[in-house]
């Protein structure tokens, strides 16, 4: 196979030659295969040429149907071969990843029509894999033991019978278990409280084997935003521990649906603490011969940890619609944190003496030291409560404490955007009111290129947008009846987007009471693996897909998606993360709530028209719009040229 898909002239700049080849692809090669080439696509290609030539960050905002994915893939593959390092394509979620890598996806199409072999490999997040330790617990537990035993029996023989290394192959990712709902999967998948260092099965783990596979990619590594940010966050720690970083050295990054990167960064830059995990780790030291002074400190630390978590639980308040409990900081809580920190520092000092005596297992000692260091970093954020966000979640094994820095832009600026490489943000929604300031400021990006191009679709002809009028201010019952009428109008063929799981559960609970929809097939996010759910929606044309996370990334052209119902305006939740953002803002509604909602709403509306032949209706169920002219004007400003925001009951179709 030729290294480049064109003849490389060493006397001319490489990226300039890539740009010329891409122009040939769009003007000659793809049209000969029946592709419709758009001016917007050509414009984007020339803009990206500058970003790759100068190793710059670029916001590439391109409307639906502009073919932006093909443009960035062409540059990424060529640049990866030139630099002899893979490029990373980081997607917002698993549905976007699937769109790229499925057999009939964008990468396969590109390879087929250009006669190229593209080496693209998946780097999935750890929680997308079976945890062998948790699976053992599940199959020996007290709930659905048969289900988990069947899953265990289906694992490769080298896992169950310790076969030779030559039989190793990747296994155990979420997609292989589409029949499991989210609750069932959560009982057997990896989570952040698993101690992989001490796991005797770590060398037979599907997650580990998959990591070995994607590292060898020659062209592209496809992963999620969450996974990329976890790589950034754990990079230094893994190097200190003698481990390889999660991702190999790479030459460029594309953040598809890049407007969601900040939330992924916040999720990755979190510390998760749990008393039961601390107690299990610290007591490992007592299995060796340790001095009495260390043993006493360990006992005291366990007691103090339990007391501290009890205070956190007592100081937490439930938030409606969220499983996160807000922590109310107090003098008592801060004193408990300080006492625990002092004990940890004393233990760390004692461990210096113990390690010199060689009485402790060196491997176990390193694990405990890393955990103590993590605890100290997390708890040190309480020294300046203005710099942290924290919350508590409940579980059967006790409360978990989650701590994150209030802002992530300093970390991103230092560890991502200071790198001398091209970074592409690609999405149909990166700007607010035509400016990229909201995105750039929240991510800590000071210098960047940007451009924006609209979709070429005839939205005035293809799209109808309505805001139903309510008799009783949009009660749940009113929304249900209106949704049923809309579903009858299109014979199903709809996507219902909900702001949170509570809204989705309410609809799921009530829809069975409406005889008008008795013959319709409803698919609910959480009941099955998400890509399997989307595939079922595409196969069964009249089906109805109900989701919380598919505001972006869902690409279903054709009549299967003729109706998008937005259950409520997607304002950010009342959870600790957004509460903290609001506290920092001079005008919280204008600076936090409204920009977030407008970006998400625009993405949700973008699910409807995915080709020139598509048509359909978008219904925005809003209690606010009929009475708030300013908000109505802002939402009307999101609509494509020629499309009007129409009030009242939708016309019959």
């Amino acid at each position: 196979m030729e290294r480049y898909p064109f003849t490389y002239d060493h006397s001319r700049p490489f990226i300039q030659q890539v740009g010329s080849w891409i122009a040939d692809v769009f003007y000659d090669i793809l049209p000969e295969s029946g592709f419709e080439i758009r001016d917007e696509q050509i414009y984007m290609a020339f803009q990206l040429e500058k970003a790759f030539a100068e190793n710059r960050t670029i916001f590439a905002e391109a409307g639906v149907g502009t073919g932006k994915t093909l443009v960035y893939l062409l540059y990424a593959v060529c640049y990866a071969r030139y630099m002899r390092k893979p490029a990373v394509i980081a997607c917002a979620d698993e549905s976007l990843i699937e769109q790229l890598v499925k057999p009939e996806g964008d990468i396969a199409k590109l390879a087929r029509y250009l006669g190229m072999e593209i080496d693209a490999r998946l780097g999935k997040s750890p929680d997308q894999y079976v945890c062998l330790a948790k699976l053992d617990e599940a199959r020996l537990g007290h709930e659905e033991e048969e289900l988990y035993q069947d899953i265990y029996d289906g694992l490769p023989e080298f896992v169950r019978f310790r076969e030779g290394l030559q039989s190793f192959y990747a296994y155990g990712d979420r997609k292989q278990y589409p029949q499991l709902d989210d609750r069932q999967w959560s009982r057997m998948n990896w989570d952040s409280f698993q101690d992989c260092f001490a796991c005797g099965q770590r060398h037979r783990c599907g997650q580990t084997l998959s990591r070995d596979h994607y590292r060898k990619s020659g062209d592209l590594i496809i992963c999620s935003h969450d996974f990329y940010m976890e790589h950034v966050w754990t990079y230094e720690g893994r190097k200190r521990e003698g481990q390889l970083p999660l991702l190999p050295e790479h030459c460029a990054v594309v953040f598809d649906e890049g407007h969601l990167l900040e939330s992924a960064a916040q999720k990755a830059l979190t510390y998760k603490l749990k008393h039961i995990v601390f107690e299990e780790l610290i007591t490992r030291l007592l299995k060796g011969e340790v001095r009495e002074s260390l043993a006493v400190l360990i006992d005291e630390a366990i007691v103090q940890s339990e007391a501290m978590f009890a205070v956190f639980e007592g100081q937490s308040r439930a938030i409606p619609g969220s499983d996160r409990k807000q922590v109310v900081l107090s003098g008592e809580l801060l004193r408990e944190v300080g006492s625990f920190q002092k004990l940890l520092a004393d233990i760390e000092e004692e461990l210096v003496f113990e390690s010199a005596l060689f009485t402790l297992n060196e491997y176990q000692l390193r694990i405990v030291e890393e955990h103590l260091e993590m605890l100290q970093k997390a708890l040190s954020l309480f020294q300046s409560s203005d710099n942290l966000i924290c919350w508590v979640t409940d579980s059967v094994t006790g409360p978990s404490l989650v701590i994150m820095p209030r802002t992530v832009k300093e970390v991103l600026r230092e560890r991502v955007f200071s790198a001398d490489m091209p970074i592409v943000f690609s999405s149909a929604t990166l700007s607010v009111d035509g400016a990229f300031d909201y995105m750039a400021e929240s991510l800590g990006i000071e210098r960047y290129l940007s451009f924006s191009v609209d979709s070429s679709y005839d939205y005035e002809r293809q799209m109808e947008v309505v805001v139903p009028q309510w008799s009783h201010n949009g009660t749940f019952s009113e929304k249900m009846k209106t949704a049923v009428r809309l579903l009858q109008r299109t014979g199903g063929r709809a996507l219902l987007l909900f702001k949170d799981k509570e809204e989705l559960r309410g609809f799921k609970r009530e829809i069975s009471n409406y005889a008008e929809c008795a013959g319709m097939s409803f698919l609910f996010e959480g009941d099955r693996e998400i890509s399997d759910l989307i595939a079922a929606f595409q196969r069964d044309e009249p089906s109805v897909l109900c989701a919380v996370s598919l505001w972006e990334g869902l690409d279903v052209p054709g009549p299967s998606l003729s109706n998008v119902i937005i259950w409520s305006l997607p304002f950010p939740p009342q959870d600790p993360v957004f509460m903290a953002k609001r506290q920092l803002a001079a005008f919280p509604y204008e600076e936090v709530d409204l920009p977030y909602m407008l970006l998400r709403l625009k993405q949700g509306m973008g699910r409807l028209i995915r080709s020139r032949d598509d048509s359909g209706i978008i219904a925005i169920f809003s209690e606010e719009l009929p009475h708030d002219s300013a908000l109505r004007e802002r939402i009307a400003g999101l609509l494509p040229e020629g499309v009007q925001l129409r009030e009242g009951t939708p016309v019959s179709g």
Side-chain angles (χ1 to χ4, degrees):
M1 182 183 74
E2 294 290 333
R3 183 175 174 188
Y4 305 120
F6 55 87
T7 302
Y8 175 39
D9 180 353
H10 291 266
S11 65
R12 295 174 53 217
F14 176 75
I15 292 298
Q16 187 182 92
Q17 295 178 68
V18 174
S20 298
W21 172 70
I22 290 176
D24 291 340
V25 168
F26 287 134
Y27 283 121
D28 299 323
I29 300 174
L30 290 182
E32 288 175 6
S33 299
F35 277 79
E36 178 187 355
I37 304 306
R38 306 171 184 91
D39 291 340
E40 296 86 357
Q41 205 170 30
I42 304 297
Y43 179 76
M44 179 176 177
F46 283 112
Q47 295 298 314
L48 287 195
E49 179 180 332
K50 184 175 183 181
F52 275 85
E54 299 177 7
N55 288 337
R56 298 281 297 277
T57 295
I58 185 168
F59 290 117
E61 183 177 62
V64 176
T66 52
K68 52 186 173 290
T69 304
L70 293 184
V71 179
Y72 74 60
L73 285 175
L74 290 170
Y75 274 104
V77 170
C78 291
Y79 195 65
R81 294 181 180 184
Y82 178 68
M83 298 296 291
R84 298 185 183 271
K85 298 176 186 176
V88 173
I89 312 296
C91 302
D93 54 38
E94 298 300 323
S95 61
L96 275 165
I97 291 174
E98 183 69 13
Q99 186 179 316
L100 281 175
V101 302
K102 62 186 179 182
E104 68 280 11
D106 294 328
I107 293 174
K109 287 178 184 175
L110 199 63
R112 182 167 68 252
Y113 287 109
L114 297 182
M116 297 174 65
E117 291 182 22
I118 298 177
D119 185 7
R121 307 191 187 190
L122 277 177
K124 288 195 171 186
S125 297
D127 62 3
Q128 293 294 306
Y129 288 93
V130 171
C131 170
L132 297 176
K134 282 181 69 176
L135 178 58
D136 283 343
E137 293 175 8
R139 67 191 181 94
L140 300 174
H142 305 287
E143 187 180 345
E144 299 181 288
E145 298 98 327
E146 270 190 49
L147 169 69
Y148 295 108
Q149 184 62 48
D150 288 345
I151 290 171
Y152 177 80
D153 293 339
L155 294 177
E157 289 190 354
F158 67 78
V159 178
R160 294 177 292 124
F161 303 118
R162 301 294 191 264
E163 296 291 333
L165 297 179
Q166 66 271 20
S167 61
F168 268 30
Y169 62 92
Y171 73 94
D173 73 73
R174 176 68 172 101
K175 195 176 176 185
Q176 293 172 334
Y177 305 98
Q179 76 282 7
L180 300 185
D181 62 31
D182 287 354
R183 182 191 59 81
Q184 291 169 325
W185 174 249
S186 70
R187 293 194 66 211
M188 59 179 263
N189 74 318
W190 181 90
D191 63 57
S192 60
F193 293 112
Q194 299 309 305
D195 184 3
C196 298
F197 294 117
C199 180
Q201 304 183 83
R202 64 186 180 279
H203 297 305
R204 299 172 183 272
C205 170
Q207 179 190 158
T208 304
L209 298 177
S210 297
R211 194 170 295 161
D212 291 340
H213 174 71
Y214 70 67
R215 285 183 166 283
K216 299 169 184 173
S217 174
D219 293 329
L220 305 175
I221 296 175
I222 318 295
C223 67
S224 66
H225 289 180
D226 290 351
F227 189 62
Y228 189 83
M229 292 315 305
E230 188 178 353
H231 158 75
V232 170
W233 187 232
T234 61
Y235 182 84
E236 295 297 335
R238 293 181 69 87
K239 284 177 66 177
R240 283 198 308 271
E241 295 163 8
Q243 299 185 77
L244 291 172
L246 292 179
L247 290 168
E249 284 192 39
H250 45 280
C251 64
V253 185
V254 176
F255 292 113
D256 202 337
E257 302 298 355
H259 63 287
L260 296 175
L261 182 65
E262 184 189 13
S263 61
Q266 287 182 314
K267 181 179 175 182
L269 306 186
T270 57
Y271 301 96
K272 297 179 181 178
L273 284 57
K274 202 166 190 173
H275 169 70
I276 192 173
V277 174
F278 170 72
E279 183 176 10
E280 193 279 329
L281 269 170
I282 201 71
T283 51
R284 290 181 188 177
L285 298 177
L286 299 177
K287 295 176 183 177
E289 295 182 9
V290 298
R291 290 174 301 145
E292 184 180 354
S293 56
L294 176 57
V296 169
L297 282 172
I298 289 172
D299 287 338
E300 290 177 356
I302 291 171
V303 171
Q304 180 59 31
S305 170
E306 195 166 21
M308 183 185 72
F309 274 92
V311 174
F312 268 109
E313 192 169 21
Q315 294 284 104
S316 61
R317 303 287 181 269
I319 301 171
S322 175
D323 59 356
R324 298 172 175 178
K325 291 184 175 181
Q326 181 185 9
V327 175
V328 181
L329 297 181
S330 67
E332 179 191 6
L333 190 149
L334 295 176
R335 283 193 296 274
E336 294 291 340
V337 168
S339 297
F340 187 52
Q341 281 186 282
K342 184 178 184 310
L343 283 168
L344 294 181
D346 291 342
I347 290 173
E348 288 175 316
E349 193 172 324
E350 287 284 330
L351 289 178
V352 174
F353 292 104
E354 290 289 346
S355 61
L357 297 174
F358 300 102
T359 57
L360 293 174
N361 178 283
E362 185 179 351
Y363 181 67
Q364 293 288 352
L365 178 61
R366 184 156 55 89
I367 294 170
V368 174
E369 286 177 332
E370 284 291 330
H371 191 76
L372 294 180
E373 183 181 349
M374 180 275 289
L375 288 172
Q376 289 284 36
K377 283 182 179 178
L379 297 174
S380 67
L381 290 172
F382 282 93
Q383 294 170 6
S384 175
S385 57
D386 291 341
N387 293 330
L388 92 159
I389 304 168
C390 64
W391 64 87
V392 168
T393 57
D394 293 327
S395 72
V396 293
T397 55
S400 301
L401 174 64
V402 182
I403 303 170
M404 67 161 55
R406 187 179 288 269
T407 62
V408 298
K409 57 186 178 183
E410 290 82 7
V411 177
L412 290 172
R413 185 185 295 123
E414 177 187 347
R415 302 192 189 181
V416 179
F417 301 116
S418 64
D420 187 25
M421 66 178 177
I423 298 176
V424 178
F425 285 83
S426 173
S427 178
T429 53
L430 292 172
S431 64
V432 177
D433 295 333
F436 297 90
D437 299 348
Y438 176 73
M439 278 283 299
E441 198 281 330
S442 64
L443 295 171
I445 301 172
E446 296 171 346
R447 295 178 61 252
Y448 59 88
L449 304 172
S450 66
F451 70 89
S452 183
V453 292
D454 292 328
S455 171
S456 60
Y457 293 155
D458 184 2
Y459 285 102
E460 186 175 5
R461 176 184 61 82
Q462 295 176 264
M463 177 190 289
E464 177 187 359
V465 183
V466 298
V467 178
Q469 298 296 290
W470 312 113
S471 301
H472 300 92
N473 202 32
T475 63
F476 181 80
S477 176
E478 279 189 295
K479 287 185 175 184
M480 286 297 302
K481 291 173 182 176
T482 305
V484 167
R485 288 200 299 272
L486 286 163
L487 292 173
Q488 286 180 286
R489 172 182 170 177
T490 53
R493 299 175 176 82
L495 170 69
L496 275 84
L497 289 172
F498 298 91
K499 185 171 62 174
D500 54 44
K501 292 179 181 178
E502 192 174 317
E503 287 186 343
L504 184 146
R505 283 193 293 264
F507 179 86
K508 183 178 182 180
R509 187 171 54 247
E510 293 297 323
I511 191 61
S512 59
N513 296 326
Y514 289 83
E516 303 94 320
C517 297
M520 296 181 188
S521 172
F522 286 86
L523 303 167
F524 296 96
E525 182 179 357
D527 284 356
R528 288 151 65 181
E529 190 269 333
I530 191 67
S531 63
D532 183 68
L533 206 65
I534 293 170
F537 177 59
Q538 291 178 293
R539 287 193 304 269
D540 183 10
E541 183 181 306
S543 63
V544 179
L545 179 58
C546 306
V548 173
S549 68
L550 295 178
W551 293 80
E552 53 272 310
L554 182 68
D555 186 18
V556 182
S560 288
L561 210 172
S562 302
N563 186 351
V564 174
I565 298 173
I566 294 169
W567 195 260
S568 58
L569 292 179
F571 283 103
Q574 293 296 323
D575 74 359
V577 174
F578 283 97
M579 287 177 178
K581 280 176 168 284
R582 294 180 185 106
Q583 288 172 4
L584 286 178
F587 304 98
Y589 178 77
E590 291 81 2
E591 296 175 30
V592 178
D593 291 9
L594 190 60
Y596 176 94
M597 185 277 290
L598 293 173
L599 281 174
R600 197 156 178 79
L601 180 62
K602 189 174 181 181
Q603 279 286 344
M605 292 192 296
R607 299 312 98 211
L608 181 66
I609 306 300
R610 308 302 296 179
S611 75
R612 292 192 183 281
D613 298 324
D614 286 352
S615 63
I617 181 172
I618 295 170
I620 303 173
F621 291 6
S622 168
E623 302 94 307
E624 305 96 333
L625 277 182
H627 316 293
D628 191 333
S629 58
L631 180 60
R632 178 187 174 85
E633 187 176 338
R634 295 298 294 272
I635 290 176
L638 298 178
L639 302 181
E641 188 176 349
V643 178
Q644 301 296 316
L645 195 63
R646 196 169 56 77
E647 295 180 355
T649 305
V651 297
S652 58

